[in-house]
Amino acid sequence: MTRNKLLALAAAALLSVSLVSHANQAIEAEASAKPTAPATNVNMFDPNYWMTAFTAPGQPAISTELKFNAATPSGWMQWIDPKTHMPTHMTFMNPTSYAQFMQPQFYMEFMKPENMMAWMNPASYQVMMDPQTMNHWMNPASYMHMMDPAMYQETMNPANYMTYLNPATYAGWMGAQTCDPENPDQTPTWFGIGC
């Protein structure tokens, strides 16, 4: 009898996690996705046919936008600024955003002289020196967002880990999809830009 109760409880817990995970997925992405035409020539022995499910033509496998620039003080001030703290915190709670740390352009930001000079500029620290910012962080209510379950939902959503299971993500990092030497705005990859 207790075994059946435990099984029912486990099934209910798994069902609720599944519903929460599904409700957390972006609906706009599904609505804006273009329908793909079915393959007319199916060749099961062609490796390219098997990989077409992972690569969308004309679209990068991962976002090349840096959501957090650790090489600049403004990137760190996002955490301190009360206006941008919550979105920054939510971005870091999403495992998909960690892919930016594996891209070469994240580390190339540390080599830019303008980013190095920004650390010497006192104007870069205005947010931290603002008395209203200090007052905000002295209030215990400012830390209550850490109790919000929505803050941790992104880490429990299996869809946010699909970036790391997608071979196109790693192909993009290796430069397999960046074969346009004429494009000056090409995203740098670990093994060069050219083909």
Side-chain angles (χ1 to χ4, degrees), residues 129-186:
M129 297 304 165
D130 185 10
Q132 293 302 323
T133 303
M134 296 294 177
N135 286 341
H136 173 79
W137 291 114
M138 293 298 283
N139 184 356
S142 302
Y143 300 95
M144 291 308 293
H145 70 277
M146 295 170 67
M147 298 299 197
D148 185 8
M151 182 75 64
Y152 306 100
Q153 249 178 344
E154 295 293 331
T155 58
M156 292 183 279
N157 187 353
N160 292 330
Y161 295 94
M162 291 301 131
T163 303
Y164 306 107
L165 298 178
N166 188 348
T169 301
Y170 303 101
W173 289 338
M174 299 303 167
Q177 295 174 345
T178 55
C179 288
D180 186 9
E182 315 258 328
N183 185 2
D185 298 325
Q186 209 163 15

